[in-house]
Amino acid sequence: MTVGVTPPAGIVGRPMTEAEFAAWRDGQIAEHAAELADSGSVSAADAHERAVASIAELLPGGVPADSDSFRCVVHDGQVVGTIWLRHGFLPGTGYVFGVDVRPAYRGRGFGRAAMLVGERLTADAGEAQLALNVYGHNTVAQRLYDSLGYQVVERYHAAEL
């Protein structure tokens, strides 16, 4: 992590409101289904069902756990993206379950800013490491994480049988 680095001036990570969380959750299901289908790991027909089940497993009752941090990334008063972290995922390690930058704001450094918000939250929680997963086809995200100093520690391959 780039501990000590804070998001650029004018960018804050504020807690989501209940309405923002509900909209985020619905959007996350749709995005996760698309990611699953695009990755080739499941058929498009099964992707939505798996995305719903995944969110239900990670957010029992459809609400954040006490160990979750959901933040809106705000630039000059506009929500440009979101980040979802779970603290204590492993001993001393937080985990990024999702970073999303709204389409109109992509390519302008807000994904990096979201990760810096996440790193700050993780460090403030007393954790020494922040982990995440990224699909193999998501080269934009891979380049971002590489540029922030994240290391690949495990890699999976899958095939439809």
Side-chain angles (χ1 to χ4, degrees):
M1 284 191 310
T2 49
V3 174
V5 175
T6 57
I11 296 178
V12 297
R14 67 157 173 78
M16 286 184 188
T17 65
E18 285 184 32
E20 286 169 334
F21 175 78
W24 171 88
R25 185 185 58 229
D26 293 345
Q28 191 67 27
I29 290 169
E31 288 177 28
H32 187 52
E35 283 283 327
L36 287 170
D38 289 348
S39 75
S41 62
V42 297
S43 70
D46 292 336
H48 181 77
E49 185 177 313
R50 286 205 185 174
V52 168
S54 177
I55 292 296
E57 181 180 337
L58 293 169
L59 298 170
V63 297
D66 290 340
S67 59
D68 290 332
S69 289
F70 284 89
R71 295 293 187 268
C72 288
V73 179
V74 180
H75 172 67
D76 292 339
Q78 296 294 314
V79 175
V80 297
T82 60
I83 186 165
W84 169 22
L85 304 174
R86 179 154 296 157
H87 301 286
F89 183 76
L90 295 170
T93 302
Y95 190 85
V96 177
F97 276 103
V99 172
D100 184 50
V101 175
R102 292 183 173 172
Y105 296 99
R106 291 182 183 156
R108 297 172 45 193
F110 295 117
R112 175 177 299 279
M115 288 301 298
L116 294 175
V117 165
E119 289 181 3
R120 176 57 36 217
L121 287 166
T122 302
D124 289 350
E127 295 168 315
Q129 191 173 49
L130 184 58
L132 54 85
N133 178 58
V134 61
Y135 288 107
H137 70 280
N138 192 344
T139 56
V140 171
Q142 288 177 26
R143 284 194 304 268
L144 168 63
Y145 304 135
D146 288 345
S147 76
L148 286 167
Y150 286 72
Q151 305 280 320
V152 175
V153 294
E154 207 165 333
R155 197 166 128 175
Y156 294 95
H157 293 264
E160 290 293 321
L161 302 178

